[in-house]
Amino acid sequence: MGQRPSRHQILISALILAGGFLAPGLALALGSAPSGKQLAAEGQKLYDEGKFGEALLKFEQAIKAGAEGGDLFYQTGYCLKVVRQDQESSRQYMTRAAPLLEKALEGKGASPAPYYYLAAIYTVELADWERGSAVAKRGVAQVEGGAFKKATDGASLFQIARLYTIAGDKDKAIAWYERSAAAFDSAKAPNREYRVAALLQLATYYNGKQDFARASEWFGRLLAVDPGRDAERITAGMAMTKAERYAEAAAILRTGFLTDEMATEANYLVRVLDRYIALQGPAVPEEVRKLDEAGLSQAIDKAAATLGGIRQKDEEEFQKSIPPPEEPKTVWKATKSGQRIQVKVPPPEPAPVTPPPPSAERQAAEKEFFGLLLEYVRRGHLIREFCLGKGLAALIFR
């Protein structure tokens, strides 16, 4: 004699016999597991948001449920690399993705993703730059043939930019990075990884072109999105200095560092910038800009010696102007028993003595010294080690 069917089983049977269907919510309530396709879609959303740990769990569940695909295997491999640092498993998934992506290129897709993923696998994961470049050039040909006109989201535009980069056309790539950055700005949930990469590409490109005004703009936007980038913060400050945007450079270098070493490095730069701004320093003279590195270093040494001598002389004169402290006074004081004793009464606190305003000679020496240091920075040099080696720290921070 068989077991009596449960209420759960009776309900499902009744729905089937009636020609009905199970709504998604009811299917979950009755214990029906989500499909591999659904899990992959959930993982894709998390992946686009930069939540790679959560995305990886969804992708693994999707694959276990039978889902497969070039995009899915590529993204799973990428997550394994960045989340678990599992290079071997990542490579295995990338290798599985390659033939599926190759097959996807045979059709006419509306997305550049298969081209980008396959080019990235060959160039980055499999170190086959020739094959990766060939795939990228095929993707670029599709772009220029109008195949991806409907791909206007930031992620797709970024992938197109990367195809141009891998194909070796950096100038065209930059135009697409700019378009992707604009799309990310207006997106509700932009792909953070792609957005940061696009901004970094733009900042680095214009910095390399010595277009420091545009590099400053892109570095500023990069740090607004991803503030914990110490090296780029220093580079941004240097680019802004080269663009003669001194106040902006000081502001971006003043805070935001995660490491003490970089913060200390930035502190020297900020001090020079602040002093130059406070002194209303004139533009660096043309003759100074023409000095070679050795000549500039000698000029800094000479200016430091001059300024150090003037400051020491001023300090000595100031100390002479301070009146000597008064001696305690001895007075008679009556005790409770009626006796009189002598006690010493300390003198009143002396009024603070304000140093005189700097002389015209000192102001000129300050401007020359900090102007020369500013020129050293404008040439792309950090100054902490330079200043410590020459004993200039006291002149900068006093």
Side-chain angles (χ1 to χ4, degrees), residues 1 45 91 106 114 129 145 190 204 224 273 281 316 334 349 371:
M1 189 173 182
K45 183 176 183 296
R91 185 183 177 87
E106 296 173 4
W129 187 265
T204 304
L273 290 164
E316 290 172 355
E349 286 289 329

Side-chain angles (χ1 to χ4, degrees), residues 109-156:
S111 168
Y115 290 94
Y116 166 63
Y117 291 147
L118 189 57
I121 287 172
Y122 285 141
T123 55
V124 179
E125 307 301 331
L126 304 181
D128 190 341
W129 187 265
E130 186 174 348
R131 290 183 74 181
S133 178
V135 171
K137 288 175 181 176
R138 288 171 62 189
V140 165
Q142 291 291 312
V143 173
E144 296 183 350
F148 307 134
K149 286 183 178 179
K150 294 183 179 180
T152 57
D153 61 287
S156 295

Side-chain angles (χ1 to χ4, degrees), residues 54-66:
E54 297 174 59
L56 177 56
L57 296 177
K58 290 291 184 183
F59 288 151
E60 289 177 328
Q61 292 170 16
I63 294 168
K64 189 175 180 181

